[in-house]
């Protein structure tokens, strides 16, 4: 009788442990992914949690604008001194991400460049060109004001 009870109890504990580990694995993977992409320990299950925080922006900057297209998340970040940065991350993590200093802006049009590749984001479109060739043009699905400088 005693050995049956221990066997059943052990089986129950094993099943509970397996169930818990299955639930925690996606969160642990998300946390590891966030650390590798952004260098922060802030796992997310939905991109807007990151978008509304300063975690996507480079260190010592704050989020000024956030844009989302079909395939990318884009953040416009600023320093207290007014230097602007363009940060983009592909939704498919194999596409990688990039952070560049913004070369020019007017109204709601931000332009960053990396060699002959230009990144232009507005409230309506994200356009990437190489020389005179457009390599990406996606409609902006969401355009949000940033959190501003937190004092």
């Amino acid at each position: 009788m005693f050995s049956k009870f221990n066997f059943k109890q052990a089986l129950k504990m094993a099943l509970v442990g397996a169930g818990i580990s299955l639930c925690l694995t996606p969160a642990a993977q998300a946390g590891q992914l966030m650390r590798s992409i952004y260098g922060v320990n802030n796992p997310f299950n939905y991109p807007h949690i990151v978008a509304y925080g300063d975690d996507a922006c480079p260190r010592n900057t704050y989020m000024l604008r956030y844009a989302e297209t079909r395939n990318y998340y884009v953040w416009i970040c600023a320093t207290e001194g007014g230097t602007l940065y363009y940060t983009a991350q592909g939704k498919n993590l194999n596409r990688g991400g990039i952070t560049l200093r913004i070369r020019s802006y007017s109204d709601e049009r931000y332009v960053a460049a990396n060699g002959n590749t230009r990144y232009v984001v507005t409230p309506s479109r994200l356009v990437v060109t190489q020389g005179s060739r457009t390599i990406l043009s996606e409609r902006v699905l969401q355009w949000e004001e940033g959190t501003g400088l937190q004092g």
Side-chain angles (χ1 to χ4, degrees):
M1 173 85 178
F2 185 70
S3 63
K4 265 187 166 178
F5 177 75
N6 284 341
F7 175 75
K8 284 183 180 179
Q9 193 69 14
L11 183 60
K12 285 180 186 178
M13 292 302 290
L15 290 174
V16 168
I20 289 172
S21 69
L22 288 174
C23 292
L24 294 178
T25 299
Q29 289 171 342
Q32 182 179 13
L33 185 62
M34 282 296 290
R35 283 187 294 280
S36 67
I37 294 172
Y38 298 109
V40 296
N41 189 15
N42 183 15
F44 66 101
N45 294 322
Y46 192 68
H48 300 297
I49 293 172
V50 174
Y52 290 117
D54 295 329
D55 298 327
C57 289
R59 183 171 292 214
N60 298 321
T61 66
Y62 63 93
M63 188 181 71
L64 188 64
R65 299 285 183 268
Y66 163 74
E68 179 181 348
T69 71
R70 181 173 173 238
N71 294 299
Y72 292 91
Y73 304 113
V74 177
W75 298 266
I76 303 299
C77 308
T79 66
E80 286 185 49
T83 302
L84 300 178
Y85 292 92
Y86 166 94
T87 299
Q89 175 62 52
K91 290 181 179 180
N92 173 348
L93 298 176
N94 293 329
R95 293 184 181 178
I98 192 167
T99 297
L100 300 167
R101 192 169 177 172
I102 290 181
R103 289 193 175 178
S104 66
Y105 64 94
S106 62
D107 296 321
E108 294 290 316
R109 182 178 187 269
Y110 301 90
V111 180
N114 185 15
N116 74 339
T117 304
R118 286 177 27 130
Y119 303 81
V120 180
V121 64
T122 68
S124 60
R125 293 209 77 72
L126 169 62
V127 178
V128 181
T129 58
Q130 279 185 331
S132 60
R133 185 175 66 119
T134 299
I135 59 172
L136 175 81
S137 180
E138 292 188 357
R139 184 172 65 88
V140 170
L141 305 172
Q142 185 172 349
W143 180 263
E144 299 289 333
E145 295 280 327
T147 55
L149 185 60
Q150 302 297 309

